[in-house]
Amino acid sequence: MFEAINKTLEYARLELLDMGLRGNTLLHFRQTAKTLEIVDEVSSEIYNIIVNQQKSMTFGPVPDSLVDDNDQVDNTQPLPALLEEMYGGSRHTDTKLQTKLISDKLDKRLLRISTDASTYYQEQGVDILYLALGFLHWYEDKNSDKLRKAPLVLVPVSLERSTARERFRLKYTQTDLGPNLSLAAKMKMDFQIILPEMESELDVINYLASVETCISKQVRWKVNVNEVSLGFFSFGKFQMYQDLDPASWPQEKQPAEHPVLSALLGKGFSEEIDGELANSSYRDEPAPDLVNLHFVKDADSSQTEAVMAVKQGLNLVIQGPPGTGKSQTITNIISESLADGKRILFVAEKMAALEVVKRRLDECHLGDAVLELHSHKSNKKSVMEELKRTLELGAPAVDDRAVEKRRYTLLKDQLDAYCHDVNTPILNSDTSYFDALGFYLQLKKTISEQSLPALNFSSMREWSKDDFNEACAKIKSLADHLELMGVPVESAFSDSVLEEFSPIDQEKISTLLEKTEDLLVKCIKDSNILASEMGLQAPVTLTDIQILHNAASRAIEAPHLVGLSLTTDDWQLRRDQIRELLSSGNEMSNLRRMNTEQFIDQAWDADLIVTRQIWTTTGNSWWRFLSGDFRQAKRTLQGLLKSKLPNNTTGCVALIDTILQYQTHRGTYEKHQRLGMSLFGAQWQDEGSDWQVLTKLSDWVINLYDEVGKGDLPKGVLRFLEGSNDVHDWTPRLNELAINSKKIEDQLEEVVSRLASKLLNQGDKSISETPLISIVKSLKDWKVSLDGLYLMTRYNRICNQLNSPGLDQFRKLSHSWVL
């Protein structure tokens, strides 16, 4: 419905948008008998005089020197050159606008323009006379030879004179200035040119220069800055086009959603719509008594009925010949609405209609409540002055008649309230409280002692009777299907959201289920055997099978682990000590191997701290041969070597440092020696151990513990590897297990996809984490109950039709509601 209304509204808007060039002075301005061309003037100076300085301007005919005896203008001599010779540059700053007409023709032209402007104002209440400053010269396309002229700055003006003998004077009407909206829309729509915005403090020169910048890429286009004309320009329809744009309206209050526009552009103001309005909040209260009316003009019964209809929120048309009181009725409608604290927008096509209603309101002292927003009274200055005047009036004095009104209406209100309440339809149901009570008693007798689930009716509050009947039909369809199907939650496919299922689909799924079940059973059997041989727990999920496969693969690639103690926590808790031990042992071995030709065996145990100190302090002194300590240190070092001492102190100190470095590593080694014996068992040979082998074993075991800690391997694999099991013939079995487990997972994903089900997922767990026994059971149940999938797909289709507000709860209830 909304879509159709939006289309109708858009068509109406397009009719308002006059982008045609024929007769559209905003896009293609031509000089006619209703326009006046201003020549040899400067736009910026005119704007400064008439707008900024608020001065009026007159019109000048061509000089007499250019007029011949037949009142014809001599065009042989250029007018600008003559004016320059006569007046110089001062002609651009005076208050006279130069024309190309002789005096008599100029007066006739101005009189006609003034008359037309006055006539349009009287009929429409809008001034459309503007002084155009600066024109855009443009072409429709590159091949067009038709020059178009469009005004750029439009100053709203009026032609005034006190008597017929006086000259016409041109004055600024004080109405807000605005750009050429139609031209801006045309440029954007056809040429993707965005004209500049017109600032509140307009600089004509800068604005026209900005326009020229925007159109600079267009061939042959230009801005004629000082081209000036007086003419008629109408923006009304384009402003209506903008106002009716749904994008300009709040998202929650679109035009198509307004009841009046919906009726106007849709199915019309039918009795059904009037009935809906009758049930709206305007009719929820009893009809007000005459004492509560606020008429300010006399009214007969038909006029009173019209006012009451408006108070009740109805849409209506009041028709009648002249003199039958239509303006009186409108005046009373306004007074009643003011009394109700409402704001009223009164719109009329002709100015006379506005003035007669305003005059009647003034007679009743309600004119101060009116803000006129038409013609010359719509400018900012007038509006602000009117607001100031009314605000300074203060609050009106009103007699308090509340006591009399309450006394008069008390009994009537009580009786009306009771009748109204029991007979008013509940919400939009078209069912009164009286009828609803009867339905309830009948239902209560029918359901006897059975308890019904509590329903949330909040989303049904806006239902109409048609909405309710449509909902009942959908629920009836669901109930009929459930009688055939049974409780959906008890179905093997209770979690499936499939809506289409054919015999071909059934055959494919049946074959897939058979293959998947067989392969899964085999995979479970093989993995249980493997787990038993490794002394591990049988896998529960597909993830466990993968972990078991990882454990067996690690066992196959494991290094020689005989003698190692794998189950001790030291591998996890004392990793740093293990690494220090193996590093120190390896360094000790390297130092002895690299220096075996230099030192005797006893050298590695010698205490050389004091000896090194003597060498470093005395070894480079010229008197060292006189020092007994040095001679002793020299003998000590020589006694540890298999060859002669080096002939320099540096070399001797380096030999001492080698021994001290060895002793440092041995200290670390001896500190952690017992740890090495406990971890490496038979492969530990004290200082003679193969340190590279032990380092590789250590790194492998520590990495194994890391994988166990992350859950990639079962903890039991440590006990298995501590033994002496031969697992090298497991490779073919492991390869087959890996292929089958991956294939099973893929096939299960395909099953779930074909069934559109999540039954293999438990909570947040994926298929790989679902217990294998549950998967096998589901596969068996699906094979046996595959025919029931047709019923489930039908159930899903019905449930998806329960998309109206409030019906979703019935879908949820139906899934497990046995009753």
Side-chain angles (χ1 to χ4, degrees):
M1 181 64 181
F2 287 160
E3 183 177 355
I5 294 174
N6 279 327
K7 287 183 178 179
T8 305
L9 179 61
E10 187 60 26
Y11 291 148
R13 290 182 66 235
L14 291 176
E15 290 177 0
L16 292 171
L17 185 60
D18 183 9
M19 288 291 109
L21 300 177
R22 185 177 180 84
N24 191 343
T25 56
L26 291 168
L27 299 179
H28 180 39
F29 180 81
R30 293 176 296 177
Q31 296 294 338
T32 67
K34 294 184 178 182
T35 65
L36 181 61
E37 183 180 8
I38 310 299
V39 298
D40 192 40
E41 297 289 352
V42 178
S43 294
S44 58
E45 293 296 338
I46 295 176
Y47 183 88
N48 182 51
I49 294 170
I50 199 169
V51 177
N52 294 337
Q53 300 180 23
Q54 302 288 310
K55 293 181 179 180
S56 60
M57 302 187 76
T58 58
F59 299 88
V62 296
D64 294 337
S65 59
L66 292 181
V67 182
D68 59 18
D69 296 335
N70 297 321
D71 289 338
Q72 298 296 322
V73 178
D74 182 9
N75 294 319
T76 58
Q77 183 177 2
L79 179 60
L82 177 61
L83 294 174
E84 173 67 26
E85 181 180 338
M86 294 174 62
Y87 306 111
S90 63
R91 70 188 187 280
H92 297 315
T93 57
D94 59 13
T95 59
K96 181 182 293 185
L97 296 171
Q98 183 63 49
T99 69
K100 296 195 298 183
L101 300 178
I102 63 176
S103 181
D104 183 57
K105 291 184 178 180
L106 176 60
D107 289 340
K108 291 180 180 179
R109 180 71 60 85
L110 290 174
L111 178 60
R112 179 171 184 177
I113 293 174
S114 175
T115 302
D116 289 344
S118 178
T119 301
Y120 193 92
Y121 173 79
Q122 292 298 326
E123 291 183 354
Q124 303 294 334
V126 178
D127 283 321
I128 61 170
L129 183 62
Y130 288 84
L131 183 65
L133 304 178
F135 279 77
L136 171 64
H137 291 195
W138 63 282
Y139 296 85
E140 293 182 70
D141 54 59
K142 296 180 180 180
N143 301 321
S144 175
D145 58 353
K146 183 71 173 179
L147 173 64
R148 309 291 185 180
K149 297 182 179 182
L152 293 174
V153 178
L154 294 166
V155 181
V157 293
S158 62
L159 284 173
E160 299 177 357
R161 64 177 180 177
S162 300
T163 65
R165 292 185 177 182
E166 286 188 0
R167 293 184 300 173
F168 279 101
R169 307 188 71 84
L170 192 71
K171 294 185 66 176
Y172 173 44
T173 64
Q174 307 296 321
T175 304
D176 293 341
L177 295 172
N180 186 340
L181 300 176
S182 296
L183 177 63
K186 182 73 173 178
M187 294 296 101
K188 182 177 181 181
M189 184 182 304
D190 293 352
F191 302 99
Q192 290 74 50
I193 295 176
I194 307 298
L195 294 183
E197 297 286 341
M198 184 174 288
E199 299 178 355
S200 57
E201 298 295 333
L202 177 63
D203 186 328
V204 174
I205 297 178
N206 289 341
Y207 177 76
L208 296 178
S210 299
V211 175
E212 192 164 19
T213 301
C214 293
I215 58 98
S216 59
K217 295 184 180 180
Q218 298 294 327
V219 181
R220 298 186 294 165
W221 287 28
K222 69 174 183 178
V223 173
N224 195 337
V225 175
N226 293 319
E227 185 174 358
V228 181
S229 287
L230 178 67
F232 295 99
F233 303 89
S234 178
F235 297 89
K237 289 185 177 181
F238 189 85
Q239 291 171 334
M240 292 170 64
Y241 170 81
Q242 288 185 314
D243 290 343
L244 290 174
D245 186 0
S248 302
W249 293 54
Q251 188 63 36
E252 67 277 6
K253 293 183 179 180
Q254 287 292 294
E257 299 175 5
H258 194 283
V260 176
L261 276 179
S262 177
L264 183 65
L265 302 178
K267 54 187 179 180
F269 296 92
S270 63
E271 293 182 359
E272 179 182 354
I273 294 180
D274 289 341
E276 291 177 1
L277 287 171
N279 292 329
S280 69
S281 59
Y282 296 105
R283 281 290 184 90
D284 283 346
E285 299 298 329
D289 193 86
L290 294 179
V291 74
N292 292 321
L293 297 180
H294 303 83
F295 284 9
V296 292
K297 290 292 180 180
D298 293 340
D300 60 19
S301 59
S302 63
Q303 293 170 341
T304 302
E305 184 178 358
V307 177
M308 298 303 298
V310 173
K311 284 179 66 68
Q312 294 162 10
L314 298 180
N315 301 297
L316 69 155
V317 176
I318 300 176
Q319 292 178 314
T324 55
K326 295 188 295 299
S327 60
Q328 286 181 217
T329 304
I330 293 173
T331 304
N332 283 331
I333 289 173
I334 293 175
S335 68
E336 280 294 329
S337 300
L338 287 173
D340 292 338
K342 296 181 179 178
R343 291 174 295 179
I344 307 98
L345 175 64
F346 179 49
V347 183
E349 182 178 2
K350 294 190 177 182
M351 183 71 177
L354 295 173
E355 290 178 344
V356 69
V357 173
K358 176 63 165 60
R359 186 168 61 251
R360 291 184 181 276
L361 290 170
D362 288 337
E363 293 170 357
C364 304
H365 308 289
L366 293 179
D368 291 330
V370 178
L371 178 62
E372 296 184 82
L373 295 174
H374 57 83
S375 68
H376 59 281
K377 297 184 179 180
S378 64
N379 63 75
K380 185 184 297 183
K381 182 179 179 181
S382 298
V383 171
M384 297 304 292
E385 289 177 352
E386 181 66 9
L387 288 175
K388 178 183 178 183
R389 186 188 68 81
T390 53
L391 288 173
E392 290 175 350
L393 291 175
V398 180
D399 295 335
D400 186 9
R401 298 179 180 177
V403 175
E404 292 84 354
K405 292 181 180 180
R406 285 198 299 269
R407 186 185 310 119
Y408 181 84
T409 59
L410 179 60
L411 181 59
K412 176 182 178 297
D413 288 347
Q414 291 176 346
L415 295 175
D416 284 345
Y418 177 79
C419 294
H420 178 274
D421 289 344
V422 298
N423 291 286
T424 298
I426 301 172
L427 301 176
N428 299 321
S429 65
D430 286 345
T431 302
S432 66
Y433 171 80
F434 188 84
D435 293 333
L437 181 61
F439 292 149
Y440 169 74
L441 295 175
Q442 184 180 7
L443 176 64
K444 188 175 181 180
K445 183 185 298 184
T446 302
I447 64 174
S448 184
E449 298 298 322
Q450 296 176 344
S451 60
L452 299 177
L455 297 178
N456 181 5
F457 287 91
S458 60
S459 56
M460 307 179 197
R461 295 180 64 85
E462 304 301 323
W463 279 7
S464 65
K465 189 171 183 178
D466 290 341
D467 294 332
F468 176 76
N469 290 334
E470 182 180 353
C472 285
K474 292 179 179 179
I475 299 300
K476 180 65 165 57
S477 176
L478 175 62
D480 292 341
H481 182 70
L482 291 177
E483 187 173 4
L484 175 66
M485 175 185 180
V487 183
V489 75
E490 297 175 359
S491 169
F493 307 97
S494 60
D495 201 36
S496 173
V497 294
L498 203 64
E499 293 187 33
E500 300 292 339
F501 188 59
S502 67
I504 296 177
D505 295 329
Q506 181 176 1
E507 182 177 353
K508 291 181 179 179
I509 293 178
S510 178
T511 302
L512 180 60
L513 291 173
E514 187 73 34
K515 291 181 178 179
T516 304
E517 182 188 3
D518 292 343
L519 189 61
L520 180 59
V521 170
K522 182 180 186 309
C523 192
I524 293 174
K525 180 181 178 181
D526 293 342
S527 60
N528 286 343
I529 293 174
L530 180 60
S532 176
E533 292 177 356
M534 296 185 68
L536 302 176
Q537 184 178 358
V540 177
T541 65
L542 289 173
T543 300
D544 293 341
I545 294 178
Q546 181 60 47
I547 293 175
L548 177 65
H549 177 272
N550 294 343
S553 298
R554 291 289 277 165
I556 291 176
E557 67 182 27
H560 186 66
L561 300 174
V562 176
L564 268 68
S565 177
L566 296 179
T567 56
T568 176
D569 290 337
D570 288 339
W571 293 104
Q572 188 73 13
L573 303 177
R574 303 181 66 182
R575 295 184 177 190
D576 293 338
Q577 294 93 320
I578 295 174
R579 291 190 175 100
E580 288 178 4
L581 171 63
L582 297 180
S583 176
S584 296
N586 187 53
E587 290 297 325
M588 290 167 54
S589 176
N590 290 339
L591 287 172
R592 296 196 67 151
R593 175 175 50 78
M594 293 168 59
N595 295 281
T596 185
E597 298 298 327
Q598 280 193 304
F599 298 110
I600 63 176
D601 292 338
Q602 292 78 3
W604 302 107
D605 298 320
D607 186 3
L608 299 178
I609 298 297
V610 176
T611 303
R612 186 184 187 284
Q613 184 177 4
I614 295 173
W615 271 98
T616 57
T617 57
T618 311
N620 291 324
S621 302
W622 63 269
W623 46 265
R624 60 183 177 278
F625 63 92
L626 299 177
S627 172
D629 291 338
F630 176 78
R631 291 195 299 272
Q632 180 60 40
K634 184 176 181 181
R635 286 193 298 270
T636 300
L637 180 59
Q638 180 63 68
L640 300 177
L641 298 177
K642 295 181 180 180
S643 58
K644 293 182 178 181
L645 285 174
N647 55 8
N648 58 73
T649 301
T650 301
C652 294
V653 172
L655 292 175
I656 297 173
D657 286 342
T658 300
I659 296 174
L660 293 178
Q661 184 181 3
Y662 173 87
Q663 292 174 354
T664 299
H665 286 300
R666 188 169 63 184
T668 302
Y669 163 81
E670 291 174 352
K671 179 180 177 181
H672 303 304
Q673 183 179 14
R674 294 178 61 84
L675 176 62
M677 295 175 59
S678 64
L679 293 179
F680 297 103
Q683 298 197 42
W684 178 261
Q685 301 297 323
D686 294 323
E687 293 184 27
S689 300
D690 190 338
W691 300 107
Q692 292 186 355
V693 172
L694 295 184
T695 299
K696 291 181 180 179
L697 288 174
S698 172
D699 292 341
W700 193 90
V701 174
I702 289 175
N703 184 56
L704 185 72
Y705 265 87
D706 287 339
E707 293 184 38
V708 172
K710 291 186 294 186
D712 295 336
L713 294 174
K715 192 172 183 179
V717 72
L718 299 170
R719 294 190 302 272
F720 175 76
L721 292 174
E722 201 172 46
S724 57
N725 298 281
D726 186 9
V727 294
H728 293 290
D729 60 341
W730 287 4
T731 301
R733 297 165 58 193
L734 290 183
N735 292 339
E736 182 182 13
L737 182 61
I739 293 172
N740 290 343
S741 61
K742 180 63 174 65
K743 190 174 182 180
I744 287 171
E745 193 165 354
D746 293 340
Q747 290 181 354
L748 288 175
E749 292 287 354
E750 184 179 357
V751 169
V752 169
S753 176
R754 286 183 175 273
L755 296 179
S757 171
K758 296 181 180 179
L759 279 175
L760 294 183
N761 298 355
Q762 296 189 345
D764 295 331
K765 296 181 179 179
S766 62
I767 292 178
S768 60
E769 296 174 323
T770 302
L772 297 172
I773 188 172
S774 298
I775 298 177
V776 173
K777 182 179 182 305
S778 295
L779 293 175
K780 291 182 179 295
D781 291 343
W782 287 340
K783 283 197 308 181
V784 175
S785 309
L786 200 53
D787 289 338
L789 189 53
Y790 291 100
L791 296 175
M792 181 55 66
T793 56
R794 166 68 178 160
Y795 169 78
N796 290 336
R797 286 198 300 273
I798 295 175
C799 285
N800 285 339
Q801 295 176 0
L802 305 180
N803 51 9
S804 301
L807 292 185
D808 185 66
Q809 57 185 327
F810 292 97
R811 178 188 61 79
K812 295 177 180 178
L813 283 170
S814 69
H815 198 65
S816 58
W817 188 13
V818 178
L819 177 61

XYZ file of all heavy atoms in Angstrom, residues 607-608 610-612 614-615 618 624-640 645 656:
226
model
N 93.465 -25.358 41.514
C 92.930 -24.109 42.033
C 93.831 -22.968 41.536
O 94.932 -22.769 42.024
C 92.894 -24.140 43.550
C 92.219 -22.912 44.117
O 91.726 -22.058 43.325
O 92.149 -22.788 45.349
N 93.365 -22.202 40.585
C 94.213 -21.213 39.914
C 93.725 -19.774 40.102
O 94.150 -18.876 39.366
C 94.288 -21.532 38.412
C 94.889 -22.892 38.043
C 94.860 -23.085 36.538
C 96.323 -22.998 38.562
N 94.313 -17.660 42.692
C 95.416 -16.815 43.152
C 96.474 -16.700 42.062
O 97.042 -15.630 41.828
C 96.029 -17.386 44.438
C 97.240 -16.577 44.873
C 94.978 -17.401 45.549
N 96.719 -17.811 41.386
C 97.717 -17.807 40.308
C 97.349 -16.816 39.217
O 98.190 -16.068 38.714
C 97.851 -19.227 39.725
O 98.203 -20.136 40.775
C 98.904 -19.263 38.625
N 96.063 -16.782 38.838
C 95.625 -15.845 37.784
C 95.808 -14.398 38.242
O 96.207 -13.523 37.470
C 94.150 -16.092 37.436
C 93.683 -15.257 36.255
C 92.189 -15.464 36.004
N 91.765 -14.791 34.784
C 91.568 -13.478 34.651
N 91.773 -12.680 35.707
N 91.190 -12.956 33.483
N 98.065 -13.220 40.317
C 99.486 -12.856 40.252
C 99.891 -12.577 38.819
O 100.615 -11.618 38.527
C 100.350 -13.963 40.881
C 100.023 -14.069 42.386
C 101.825 -13.698 40.657
C 100.687 -15.249 43.071
N 99.445 -13.422 37.888
C 99.794 -13.238 36.470
C 99.263 -11.905 35.942
O 99.923 -11.209 35.173
C 99.238 -14.392 35.619
C 100.190 -15.549 35.517
C 100.194 -16.693 36.249
C 101.278 -15.657 34.621
N 101.216 -17.521 35.882
C 101.912 -16.903 34.861
C 101.827 -14.821 33.631
C 103.022 -17.324 34.154
C 102.922 -15.259 32.922
C 103.522 -16.498 33.188
N 101.344 -8.942 38.000
C 102.808 -8.879 37.969
C 103.387 -9.306 36.624
O 104.518 -8.957 36.274
C 103.405 -9.778 39.073
O 102.739 -9.475 40.300
C 104.901 -9.557 39.256
N 109.355 -8.539 37.362
C 108.643 -9.752 37.759
C 109.597 -10.892 38.138
O 109.261 -11.738 38.960
C 107.722 -10.207 36.624
C 108.421 -10.539 35.317
C 107.399 -10.914 34.243
N 108.007 -11.177 32.953
C 108.359 -10.269 32.082
N 108.130 -8.995 32.362
N 108.936 -10.585 30.937
N 110.840 -10.903 37.572
C 111.778 -12.000 37.904
C 112.306 -11.867 39.330
O 112.882 -12.808 39.887
C 112.960 -12.009 36.894
C 113.796 -10.759 36.939
C 114.922 -10.674 37.757
C 113.457 -9.661 36.167
C 115.681 -9.531 37.784
C 114.246 -8.523 36.216
C 115.349 -8.431 37.021
N 112.085 -10.657 39.942
C 112.518 -10.465 41.322
C 111.459 -10.937 42.324
O 111.737 -11.058 43.501
C 112.822 -8.976 41.562
C 113.940 -8.371 40.707
C 114.069 -6.882 41.001
C 115.258 -9.084 40.997
N 110.159 -11.183 41.817
C 109.036 -11.551 42.697
C 109.004 -13.052 42.890
O 108.902 -13.824 41.917
C 107.711 -11.065 42.095
O 106.634 -11.562 42.822
N 109.063 -13.466 44.186
C 108.986 -14.898 44.470
C 107.619 -15.450 44.150
O 107.486 -16.594 43.696
N 106.536 -14.640 44.389
C 105.168 -15.124 44.088
C 105.002 -15.378 42.608
O 104.362 -16.348 42.190
C 104.134 -14.093 44.549
C 104.073 -13.993 46.062
O 104.482 -14.956 46.727
O 103.543 -12.968 46.552
N 105.591 -14.478 41.788
C 105.442 -14.681 40.353
C 106.179 -15.926 39.900
O 105.680 -16.687 39.064
C 105.961 -13.449 39.600
C 105.926 -13.606 38.101
C 104.755 -13.476 37.416
C 107.084 -13.990 37.399
C 104.708 -13.663 36.046
C 107.019 -14.166 36.038
C 105.843 -13.995 35.352
N 107.380 -16.105 40.464
C 108.132 -17.298 40.061
C 107.371 -18.556 40.454
O 107.340 -19.537 39.698
C 109.538 -17.277 40.728
C 110.438 -16.167 40.170
C 111.893 -16.396 40.565
N 112.078 -16.396 42.011
C 112.322 -15.303 42.734
N 112.410 -14.126 42.130
N 112.481 -15.375 44.041
N 106.701 -18.540 41.631
C 105.914 -19.698 42.053
C 104.724 -19.899 41.129
O 104.399 -21.023 40.747
C 105.436 -19.498 43.502
C 104.599 -20.651 44.031
C 105.346 -21.969 44.023
O 106.557 -22.042 44.352
N 104.676 -23.050 43.614
N 104.026 -18.784 40.745
C 102.867 -18.879 39.849
C 103.288 -19.424 38.496
O 102.565 -20.206 37.864
C 102.223 -17.498 39.686
N 104.482 -19.062 38.069
C 104.969 -19.530 36.771
C 105.240 -21.033 36.817
O 104.901 -21.777 35.895
C 106.221 -18.753 36.402
C 106.781 -19.077 35.022
C 107.974 -18.182 34.708
C 108.516 -18.490 33.317
N 109.687 -17.645 32.999
N 105.840 -21.462 37.983
C 106.126 -22.899 38.109
C 104.816 -23.686 38.178
O 104.698 -24.786 37.630
C 106.981 -23.134 39.373
C 108.424 -22.682 39.217
C 109.286 -23.227 40.371
N 108.842 -22.717 41.657
C 109.315 -21.589 42.204
N 110.222 -20.847 41.552
N 108.886 -21.192 43.385
N 103.804 -23.114 38.879
C 102.521 -23.823 39.005
C 101.882 -24.029 37.640
O 101.410 -25.136 37.321
C 101.557 -23.023 39.905
O 102.142 -22.872 41.202
C 100.203 -23.704 40.015
N 101.871 -23.010 36.847
C 101.237 -23.115 35.525
C 102.022 -24.044 34.625
O 101.441 -24.865 33.903
C 101.119 -21.728 34.880
C 100.471 -21.683 33.499
C 99.058 -22.251 33.559
C 100.430 -20.248 32.964
N 103.337 -23.971 34.693
C 104.154 -24.837 33.852
C 103.924 -26.297 34.214
O 103.921 -27.188 33.358
C 105.635 -24.470 34.024
C 106.582 -25.326 33.173
C 106.352 -25.150 31.695
O 106.605 -24.101 31.145
N 105.828 -26.175 31.023
N 103.669 -26.553 35.513
C 103.466 -27.925 35.937
C 102.177 -28.523 35.420
O 102.015 -29.751 35.429
N 101.245 -27.700 34.944
C 99.956 -28.204 34.441
C 99.963 -28.388 32.942
O 99.001 -28.936 32.391
C 98.822 -27.230 34.823
C 98.619 -26.993 36.314
C 97.527 -25.956 36.537
C 98.264 -28.293 37.034
N 105.546 -22.875 28.456
C 104.635 -21.748 28.644
C 104.697 -20.813 27.441
O 105.748 -20.697 26.800
C 105.030 -20.950 29.893
C 104.697 -21.551 31.243
C 105.293 -20.699 32.343
C 103.191 -21.659 31.426
N 94.914 -20.040 31.801
C 94.296 -20.124 33.136
C 92.782 -19.953 33.023
O 91.997 -20.666 33.666
C 94.903 -19.071 34.077
C 96.409 -19.340 34.278
C 94.175 -19.042 35.396
C 97.120 -18.259 35.060
